[in-house]
Amino acid sequence: MARVSNNKIKIGVHWKNSLLIDIPPSTSPRHPKLIELDPSIPLNDYIKKICDDWKIPLSNSIHYALRYDDTHKFVTEQNRYQIPTGQVFYLSLSHEDEVQDILKYLSSNDYQRYDLTVLERLKLAGEDETFALEFVQQNGLQYLLKLFTHDGKLNNYENFTPNLLRSLHNIMINQQAIHWDNLESINTIVDQLIFGINASKIPCLHSSSAMMILHSIINIESKYSSKIIQTLEISHLLDYCNKQHDTETQYYALSLINVIMSKSDQLLRSSLVRTMSNIIVSTNLRELVQLIITSDEHSNNDSYTSMDISIQSTRYVTRSLLIQQLCLLQRFYLNELYTSSMNTSSDRFDTKYRDMILELRRSAFDTDLLLSDQSCQDLSIRVSPGNINETISTMNSRRVEALQRDYERLGFQDLREPIRDFQIIPPGILSLQNLFYFCIHQKNDFIRFVLENSCKTLQQQCPLVKSAIEITRILCKLFYIGVEPNRHQIHKDYFLLFYTISSFFEQAFVRCLLLFNKTWKEMRACDVDFQVVSSVVYQQISQSLDDISLINSSTTVTNKTILSSYSPSKSQTLLSPVIKSTMNTSLTSIILQRFTFDYFFERLNTNNYKDICRRRDEQELKREETIMKLPIVETLKERLRSHVQSLTRQARLKTMKKGQIFMTYESRSGAKKTKNRSMFWQLLDNEKHVQCSEPPTTIIKEHNTRDSSITSLTRTMIPLENIKDIQCNIDQLRSGTLNTQERIPKIPRHSNAHMTVTIILQNDTTYTLLCENDYDMSCWNDGFNILLHKEMDSFYAREEMELLLNLLCQLQILELDSPSIILPQHQLPVPIRLPPIRPVSST
C-alpha cells in the first residue's frame, strides 16, 4: 500500500452524461469543479459533496466513484495516493454498481443494446483491474461468452464487434482469477479468430481486437499457443501492415508476427524470409516505413519500458511503438537470412566457393589469357599433402607464381589455399559472399580498389580480403546478426533503413569496405596497423548509424531552420495555409532524404579520421576531468599543492638567474627619463641582488646571452631590500592597466605596444623593462613577487601549477596500491595515433 502523504493535491471533476445510466438530467447546470483533496478526509465525503452540488437524487454516495478522464479507471481509497496534481476526473457509478448495472443488461436478450451501450461501457471499465476482478467474481464472463455462441446469427465475424472482442480481452488480462485455458468455449473462439484472420473475413474495425486476443494467448504460453503459431499465416498478417489500415491494426499485426517468430521453429522463420522477399509485401512495408518517418507525430522520444505490452488502445499506439515492432521484425529477417552463413566455415572442397574466388581474380586482373582454365583451379585442389612434390614438378612454375601473386594482391593470407581465409567464425563464409557481391555489382570500384593497392609496397597495401572479413564482422556486430532478438528490448530505429532498398546489408558492406580503404590512406597505415584502422572504421560506421537515427536532434534543428526560412518577420505569428502546406512538404522531403542509404553513405564520408580523433580526445579529456574531481583526488591535490608551488617558484627563480636582455627605461625623481638600447638583467645566485649591465652589441647579435666579458663592463647592483614595489603593465594608450587574472594575447615584437615590468625603488627611481611577450613579463613579475614574499598571481603561473598538479596526481594514482581510491571503469581504447614518419621496408 502506498504511503499516506500529507500534501494536498488539486483535481478537476466534470460531468459526463453519456456514460451515466438512469440518472435524470438536472434543471440546474452541472459545472466542473476544482477540488483540493486532503489525504486525511475519506474519498466518499468528497463524492457526497459533489452529488449534492449536482442535484443527483441518490442519497447514498457510496454508489458513485471518480474515474480518470483519459484511462477511465476507478479511483479507490487504495490508489488515491497515486493521483497527480492537475488530473481530471468524471463522476461515475462505483465499480460494484457498474458491474451490477452491466450484468443487468447482459442477462437480457436485447442484443441491439449490447453494441450501442453495454459493450462500450464494458470495454472502458474493463481496463481497470478492480472492475475486471469484480466482473469475474459476479460470473460476468458467462454472459459475455454467450454473445459468441448463443445462436447462429451471432456466430459469425460480422457480429464480432470491436467492443465485444476488446471487452473480452480487457477483462481477461486485468484479472488473475481465470486463465485463458480455463475459459469456456475458448477453443471455438480461437478457431473462429484464426479462420477469420487467415481468410480476411474479419472487418478492419475488428481485426486489431482479434489480434490482441491471440497475442495475449500466445504471450502466456497457453496450450493453444502452439495451435495459433502453426495455423496463423504470416503472409495474411503482413497484409494488415499496409498503409490502408489504421495504426492499431498495423501494430498488432506486427506484434503478433514477432511473438510468433520468437516462439516458432526454423520452418516458420524460413517462411518469413520467403514472404518478406515478395515484391508486394516489401512494397507495402516500404510504404509503411515512409509513412511513419514522415509523420508529424510529436512522440518521437516516447518513453516506454517494454515492447511486450499486452493491452494497448488506439491512444497508446504511438509512432515509436510501431517503429520498434518494425525494427524487431527486421531483426528476425536479418537473422534468418545471414546467421547461417555467418556461422558456416568455408569448405575447401565446395565448388561454389572456389568458383567465387576464381571470379574475384578474373574480375580484378583478367588473366584468363595468361593462365589456362586448368591451371587456374584453386591450389587446394592441385596441391594436396600427399603429392605436393609431384604436383609442383608437373605444373609450370611461372603459372603457379602468377596465381599466387594474384592472390597476394587480392589480400589473401593463405596463398596455397585461399579458401582457408574464410574459416574464422564469425563471419565465416558470409564475408566471401559479400565480397562476391562487391565484385559482381560494383565491378569498377572493385577493380579500382585492387589496382590502387597493387601499386604500393606489400606492407603499405590495404588487404582486400582481410578488410572484407573485418568489415563483415563489424556489420554483423552492429546489426546484431546471430543475436536472438528480444521482444522486451528497445531496438535502434536505423533498422528501418533495411526496408528502404533491397540488399541493404550487401550495399552497406560495399560502402564500408571503400571507407576502410579511404581511412587506411588517411592514416598512412601499414600492415601492422590493421587493428588500429579497424577500430577507427568501427567508430565511423557506428557514429554514422547514430546520425541517421530518427530520434537524433539534428531533425529538430532542420525543422527550426525551415520554419525560420518561411517567416517573413519576427512579428508575424500566423502563417497562411499555402505557406503551411509548403513547409510540411519541405519537411517531409528533407526527412525522406535524410533517412536514406545515400545519406548514410554521406555520413560515412563526413565522419572522417580527423573527426574521430577529435571526439576521442574530447572523451579522454572529459574522463580525466571526472577523475580529477573525485573527492579522494581533491584531497591528494591539497597534499601536493605546496610541493607544486615550490617547484614553480624554483623555475621562476632559475629563469631570472639565467638572465635576459630587455629594452630598459630609467627614471629618477627630478630627472629626465632616459632610454637605453638594451640591458642584461640577472638575479645573482645569492638571491639578494639583481644586477643590470650593458652587453656589447656583438654579443647581443651573435649569442643573445651573457658572456664572460660582461664582467668588465659597467654594472648596476640593486639590492632586493631597496625594491619598494613591482608593477606589471601594458601600453596604457592601447589597453589601460593589465588584469593579471586573464591571459593577454601575444603582441608582435616590433609592435608599438609593449609588455612592461616596472621596478620601483625606495628612492622613487624606476626601471621599466619592455618584454617581447606576455610570458616573459609574467615570469619576471612572478619572480620579483617571490623575492618580495608575495603571491604569484599571473595566468601562466596558475596554469603551470594546475598542469603540474594534475600530472603528479595521475602519477601518484598509478603508483598507489591503496584500494580506497576507486576510479570509474573505463576500457582502454585502441591507440589511434600512428608514427608521423615510418620507414619504408625494402621489397
Side-chain angles (χ1 to χ4, degrees):
M1 182 176 176
R3 185 176 60 180
V4 178
S5 175
N6 295 325
N7 297 328
K8 297 181 180 181
I9 60 173
K10 294 182 179 181
I11 63 171
V13 182
H14 70 102
W15 175 259
K16 186 176 289 188
N17 188 44
S18 59
L19 297 178
L20 294 178
I21 307 300
D22 295 336
I23 296 181
S26 176
T27 55
S28 60
R30 291 164 175 165
H31 298 291
K33 294 183 174 296
L34 181 64
I35 300 176
E36 188 177 53
L37 290 182
D38 190 339
S40 61
I41 300 177
L43 198 60
N44 285 336
D45 293 351
Y46 291 101
I47 296 176
K48 183 177 180 180
K49 179 67 169 57
I50 294 173
C51 292
D52 293 341
D53 292 344
W54 282 349
K55 308 300 181 184
I56 297 178
L58 197 58
S59 59
N60 194 353
S61 60
I62 62 173
H63 295 284
Y64 295 94
L66 295 179
R67 292 173 67 175
Y68 286 85
D69 190 56
D70 49 358
T71 62
H72 304 283
K73 292 186 176 182
F74 293 86
V75 179
T76 62
E77 290 291 345
Q78 289 73 26
N79 62 21
R80 64 177 295 184
Y81 305 106
Q82 302 175 1
I83 299 175
T85 299
Q87 183 66 47
V88 179
F89 299 89
Y90 66 90
L91 189 67
S92 170
L93 294 176
S94 64
H95 65 274
E96 298 93 345
D97 289 271
E98 186 78 356
V99 169
Q100 294 296 331
D101 194 65
I102 291 176
L103 289 180
K104 180 178 66 175
Y105 288 98
L106 288 178
S107 59
S108 65
N109 294 324
D110 191 357
Y111 298 119
Q112 184 64 26
R113 193 168 186 178
Y114 294 160
D115 295 335
L116 299 178
T117 305
V118 179
L119 293 180
E120 175 68 24
R121 294 170 57 193
L122 182 59
K123 179 190 68 173
L124 297 178
E127 297 185 5
D128 184 77
E129 296 84 352
T130 307
F131 175 88
L133 185 60
E134 180 70 21
F135 186 82
V136 172
Q137 291 176 352
Q138 298 296 331
N139 297 325
L141 282 176
Q142 296 181 1
Y143 298 102
L144 190 60
L145 292 175
K146 286 183 179 179
L147 297 179
F148 290 91
T149 58
H150 188 266
D151 58 22
K153 292 182 179 180
L154 291 178
N155 195 14
N156 59 73
Y157 299 104
E158 286 73 13
N159 289 283
F160 275 18
T161 65
N163 290 339
L164 174 60
L165 294 174
R166 189 66 60 88
S167 299
L168 177 62
H169 174 265
N170 291 348
I171 293 296
M172 287 302 299
I173 67 172
N174 283 307
Q175 53 83 33
Q176 306 297 329
I178 299 180
H179 194 272
W180 278 106
D181 293 347
N182 300 327
L183 199 62
E184 183 181 355
S185 67
I186 183 60
N187 190 22
T188 304
I189 295 175
V190 168
D191 289 339
Q192 292 175 345
L193 295 179
I194 293 175
F195 176 77
I197 292 177
N198 287 341
S200 301
K201 288 188 175 182
I202 298 182
C204 295
L205 295 176
H206 310 168
S207 55
S208 62
S209 301
M211 294 175 191
M212 290 170 66
I213 294 177
L214 297 180
H215 183 276
S216 177
I217 294 175
I218 297 177
N219 249 354
I220 63 172
E221 297 182 355
S222 166
K223 63 182 180 181
Y224 299 102
S225 298
S226 177
K227 178 181 180 180
I228 298 173
I229 292 174
Q230 297 295 331
T231 310
L232 269 180
E233 298 181 9
I234 295 180
S235 59
H236 288 89
L237 288 174
L238 287 172
D239 290 340
Y240 290 98
C241 297
N242 59 50
K243 62 181 182 180
Q244 298 177 356
H245 291 82
D246 60 286
T247 304
E248 190 180 46
T249 301
Q250 295 166 350
Y251 171 80
Y252 278 103
L254 293 170
S255 180
L256 192 55
I257 294 174
N258 290 329
V259 73
I260 289 175
M261 297 305 299
S262 64
K263 298 177 181 296
S264 62
D265 53 11
Q266 183 64 34
L267 185 62
L268 271 177
R269 296 193 177 193
S270 300
S271 67
L272 173 67
V273 174
R274 294 191 300 269
T275 304
M276 291 186 65
S277 300
N278 184 277
I279 297 178
I280 298 178
V281 174
S282 60
T283 302
N284 290 338
L285 291 175
R286 186 178 299 112
E287 292 176 350
L288 177 60
V289 169
Q290 292 178 353
L291 185 65
I292 290 174
I293 63 179
T294 56
S295 101
D296 57 352
E297 184 180 358
H298 63 277
S299 57
N300 287 347
N301 298 322
D302 292 336
S303 59
Y304 47 91
T305 58
S306 173
M307 288 306 304
D308 186 19
I309 302 175
S310 300
I311 175 173
Q312 291 284 350
S313 60
T314 304
R315 61 180 178 274
Y316 294 134
V317 178
T318 59
R319 183 177 69 160
S320 55
L321 294 177
L322 194 57
I323 287 175
Q324 292 300 310
Q325 292 298 332
L326 281 167
C327 294
L328 180 58
L329 177 62
Q330 189 59 235
R331 285 282 309 279
F332 281 114
Y333 178 76
L334 292 176
N335 265 12
E336 188 59 33
L337 206 58
Y338 299 110
T339 301
S340 177
S341 299
M342 186 189 70
N343 294 327
T344 302
S345 179
S346 59
D347 185 2
R348 56 186 297 192
F349 300 108
D350 195 321
T351 308
K352 174 184 176 182
Y353 300 137
R354 288 193 293 105
D355 291 342
M356 285 184 179
I357 296 177
L358 182 62
E359 184 62 31
L360 294 179
R361 185 187 56 77
R362 285 177 176 173
S363 298
F365 306 112
D366 193 20
T367 55
D368 286 339
L369 298 179
L370 177 63
L371 303 175
S372 63
D373 290 340
Q374 184 176 1
S375 62
C376 284
Q377 295 295 324
D378 196 298
L379 288 182
S380 64
I381 303 301
R382 300 298 305 272
V383 180
S384 61
N387 58 352
I388 291 180
N389 296 330
E390 180 182 356
T391 304
I392 294 296
S393 62
T394 57
M395 291 181 63
N396 188 309
S397 59
R398 181 181 176 184
R399 291 179 177 178
V400 174
E401 292 177 0
L403 186 61
Q404 290 182 341
R405 186 168 58 252
D406 288 348
Y407 286 148
E408 185 178 35
R409 294 165 67 187
L410 284 172
F412 284 98
Q413 304 299 310
D414 193 330
L415 303 182
R416 299 174 64 85
E417 296 183 76
I419 198 171
R420 286 182 177 271
D421 286 15
F422 305 101
Q423 288 185 344
I424 302 176
I425 297 176
I429 207 65
L430 179 60
S431 53
L432 177 57
Q433 295 174 353
N434 290 338
L435 196 56
F436 184 73
Y437 178 91
F438 182 26
C439 170
I440 299 300
H441 294 85
Q442 301 282 346
K443 193 169 184 178
N444 292 335
D445 292 333
F446 176 80
I447 296 174
R448 187 181 299 110
F449 188 110
V450 176
L451 298 182
E452 181 181 297
N453 287 279
S454 299
C455 302
K456 303 177 182 178
T457 61
L458 185 60
Q459 288 76 17
Q460 294 177 334
Q461 289 180 10
C462 179
L464 173 63
V465 175
K466 189 176 180 180
S467 304
I469 295 174
E470 183 65 18
I471 290 297
T472 305
R473 185 190 64 81
I474 291 175
L475 292 181
C476 288
K477 182 178 180 180
L478 291 174
F479 296 145
Y480 305 100
I481 306 297
V483 179
E484 189 66 22
N486 189 351
R487 293 183 293 118
H488 305 272
Q489 176 186 357
I490 297 178
H491 301 277
K492 297 184 177 180
D493 55 20
Y494 58 68
F495 280 98
L496 296 183
L497 278 175
F498 287 90
Y499 292 102
T500 57
I501 59 174
S502 59
S503 304
F504 177 84
F505 184 83
E506 289 79 5
Q507 295 193 46
F509 166 82
V510 173
R511 298 298 187 183
C512 293
L513 187 58
L514 296 176
L515 174 68
F516 196 100
N517 185 44
K518 175 175 175 288
T519 306
W520 183 280
K521 291 186 294 184
E522 289 178 352
M523 298 177 66
R524 298 181 181 179
C526 292
D527 52 353
V528 295
D529 306 315
F530 185 85
Q531 291 300 324
V532 180
V533 179
S534 176
S535 66
V536 175
V537 173
Y538 177 85
Q539 191 166 352
Q540 288 176 292
I541 300 174
S542 60
Q543 182 64 43
S544 300
L545 290 173
D546 292 338
D547 291 344
I548 61 177
S549 177
L550 288 177
I551 63 174
N552 192 278
S553 59
S554 59
T555 303
T556 306
V557 176
T558 304
N559 294 349
K560 290 182 179 179
T561 304
I562 296 176
L563 289 173
S564 61
S565 64
Y566 281 100
S567 300
S569 63
K570 295 183 179 180
S571 60
Q572 183 176 356
T573 57
L574 298 177
L575 300 178
S576 65
V578 177
I579 294 180
K580 289 183 178 180
S581 176
T582 308
M583 288 167 54
N584 292 334
T585 303
S586 301
L587 287 172
T588 302
S589 176
I590 287 181
I591 295 176
L592 281 176
Q593 292 176 4
R594 182 175 173 272
F595 205 77
T596 58
F597 178 76
D598 292 334
Y599 185 78
F600 171 62
F601 178 50
E602 178 184 338
R603 296 307 305 167
L604 286 177
N605 291 328
T606 304
N607 293 309
N608 52 31
Y609 170 60
K610 182 179 179 180
D611 292 337
I612 295 298
C613 292
R614 178 180 53 80
R615 293 193 193 100
R616 287 191 176 182
D617 291 341
E618 291 176 355
Q619 292 175 0
E620 186 64 22
L621 288 176
K622 289 181 181 178
R623 187 185 73 88
E624 291 180 359
E625 290 176 359
T626 303
I627 292 177
M628 300 311 293
K629 291 180 181 179
L630 293 176
I632 189 67
V633 179
E634 292 290 344
T635 303
L636 183 60
K637 277 186 176 183
E638 292 301 323
R639 294 179 180 178
L640 297 174
R641 194 174 299 277
S642 60
H643 177 60
V644 170
Q645 290 176 352
S646 176
L647 293 177
T648 307
R649 291 192 187 99
Q650 294 176 16
R652 292 292 187 265
L653 296 178
K654 185 177 180 181
T655 300
M656 295 183 68
K657 290 178 181 180
K658 184 179 179 181
Q660 193 170 350
I661 298 174
F662 294 102
M663 299 292 293
T664 306
Y665 292 90
E666 181 181 355
S667 176
R668 299 179 183 272
S669 58
K672 184 179 180 181
K673 180 185 292 187
T674 61
K675 174 183 178 182
N676 297 324
R677 283 197 168 193
S678 62
M679 297 186 70
F680 182 81
W681 288 80
Q682 182 189 21
L683 175 68
L684 298 184
D685 293 337
N686 59 10
E687 298 182 2
K688 294 183 178 180
H689 294 80
V690 178
Q691 72 173 7
C692 60
S693 60
E694 299 178 359
T697 307
T698 56
I699 298 179
I700 297 174
K701 292 182 178 180
E702 295 177 4
H703 303 286
N704 197 20
T705 184
R706 185 181 59 161
D707 191 82
S708 59
S709 61
I710 297 178
T711 57
S712 62
L713 299 176
T714 304
R715 295 182 301 176
T716 302
M717 304 291 293
I718 303 176
L720 292 178
E721 59 184 11
N722 290 342
I723 298 178
K724 181 171 61 175
D725 192 15
I726 298 293
Q727 293 182 358
C728 186
N729 297 302
I730 194 173
D731 190 348
Q732 296 184 1
L733 296 177
R734 287 175 53 90
S735 304
T737 58
L738 172 66
N739 184 4
T740 58
Q741 302 298 321
E742 297 180 0
R743 183 171 181 174
I744 305 172
K746 185 176 180 180
I747 297 178
R749 179 173 182 177
H750 300 288
S751 174
N752 293 328
H754 294 280
M755 307 291 181
T756 62
V757 176
T758 303
I759 305 172
I760 305 175
L761 302 182
Q762 297 291 348
N763 58 3
D764 294 334
T765 300
T766 61
Y767 293 92
T768 303
L769 313 183
L770 275 68
C771 306
E772 294 183 0
N773 52 66
D774 56 336
Y775 183 74
D776 291 341
M777 179 189 65
S778 299
C779 287
W780 282 80
N781 180 59
D782 292 335
F784 279 115
N785 286 331
I786 294 171
L787 296 172
L788 297 177
H789 307 289
K790 297 181 179 180
E791 293 293 332
M792 296 182 296
D793 57 355
S794 69
F795 169 82
Y796 286 104
R798 295 193 306 271
E799 183 183 56
E800 291 175 8
M801 284 192 295
E802 190 66 25
L803 290 176
L804 185 57
L805 189 61
N806 291 338
L807 179 60
L808 290 178
C809 285
Q810 293 174 5
L811 292 176
Q812 290 285 339
I813 290 173
L814 293 176
E815 295 176 358
L816 282 177
D817 295 329
S818 174
S820 60
I821 297 182
I822 302 177
L823 300 178
Q825 296 295 328
H826 180 75
Q827 184 179 3
L828 293 177
V830 178
I832 60 174
R833 293 289 191 270
L834 298 180
I837 300 177
R838 190 175 300 276
V840 179
S841 302
S842 60
T843 57

